[in-house]
Amino acid sequence: MKPWTVLGGSILITTAAAILLPSLQMLDSGTAAVRETQATISPQQRVLLTDDNLVDTLNELPLTTPIASVSWEHSVLTLDVKLSKEETTPLEIYQNMAELAAFSFYGTSNVRQLLLRVVTEDEWSGERHLLLASDIRRNEWTNEALEQLRNREGAELPEDLKSRFRITVTPMWQNRFSGVYTN
């Protein structure tokens, strides 16, 4: 090879590097901005839910209704929330549902499905009665749905939210919240 060809190739490579490296730096700073935005949106670190940390992690949630039972199997979190006070309203239950869904799908990395039941217990017999059941899946949950559930103004949920998250209420729910809830 001629010396001028080697010199010309070296100059070309040096010039290309001087032009391209700042562009790569800008791409990396854009990625950092996205990471910073995600950290702002979800301030809590995502946890990997396991049998070992299940109870402690759920105990930290700001729920107004106690968890009666919990099960964790094959990325499916099953919870029974127990209504223990008469003055519990449907709006309070919906806010707790939103909190549990937000935890399940934004606060963890491995919950794929949340099966949530709202139950009440007969004082005399100790028998549990189902009031509401829901089957919420990660791939069907959206921020808009979360806000819609959190910011309910009425006791009745819109049909699209009921069907999307497979929410079913029992006649016992309707009896308990008669005057508040309508068909």
Side-chain angles (χ1 to χ4, degrees):
M1 268 184 146
K2 295 184 180 178
W4 291 105
T5 308
V6 174
L7 181 60
S10 298
I11 291 174
L12 184 62
I13 290 173
T14 304
T15 305
I19 292 170
L20 292 176
L21 284 177
S23 300
L24 291 174
Q25 175 63 26
M26 284 191 294
L27 285 175
D28 186 49
S29 65
T31 306
V34 169
R35 275 189 239 117
E36 187 176 311
T37 301
Q38 288 173 341
T40 304
I41 290 172
S42 56
Q44 64 189 20
Q45 292 293 324
R46 286 180 165 231
V47 285
L48 183 65
L49 207 57
T50 65
D51 288 333
D52 295 334
N53 68 1
L54 180 63
V55 172
D56 292 334
T57 305
L58 290 173
N59 195 35
E60 294 174 9
L61 295 177
L63 301 176
T64 58
T65 51
I67 296 174
S69 68
V70 63
S71 161
W72 171 245
E73 191 172 328
H74 304 294
S75 299
V76 177
L77 180 60
T78 304
L79 288 163
D80 283 357
V81 176
K82 181 177 152 190
L83 298 189
S84 56
K85 51 186 181 173
E86 282 300 316
E87 60 272 6
T88 303
T89 66
L91 300 177
E92 185 178 352
I93 294 167
Y94 299 151
Q95 289 171 347
N96 283 313
M97 286 176 67
E99 191 65 42
L100 287 165
F103 162 75
S104 297
F105 305 129
Y106 300 136
T108 70
S109 57
N110 61 334
V111 174
R112 153 181 78 72
Q113 184 176 12
L114 171 64
L115 300 176
L116 179 64
R117 297 180 297 204
V118 177
V119 297
T120 188
E121 191 171 304
D122 185 285
E123 291 178 19
W124 299 101
S125 68
E127 187 178 337
R128 286 190 182 170
H129 302 282
L130 179 67
L131 299 175
L132 179 144
S134 180
D135 175 359
I136 308 170
R137 298 172 188 193
R138 181 182 289 270
N139 62 345
E140 297 172 356
W141 189 254
T142 64
N143 253 344
E144 295 79 26
L146 177 65
E147 289 309 311
Q148 192 177 15
L149 194 55
R150 272 189 179 148
N151 300 318
R152 290 296 317 140
E153 292 185 13
E156 188 171 353
L157 292 174
E159 284 303 317
D160 66 321
L161 198 61
K162 281 185 192 177
S163 65
R164 176 181 281 183
F165 306 121
R166 295 164 199 81
I167 296 173
T168 305
V169 295
T170 64
M172 191 168 241
W173 169 279
Q174 293 170 349
N175 289 339
R176 176 155 181 164
F177 299 113
S178 64
V180 179
Y181 181 83
T182 57
N183 273 336

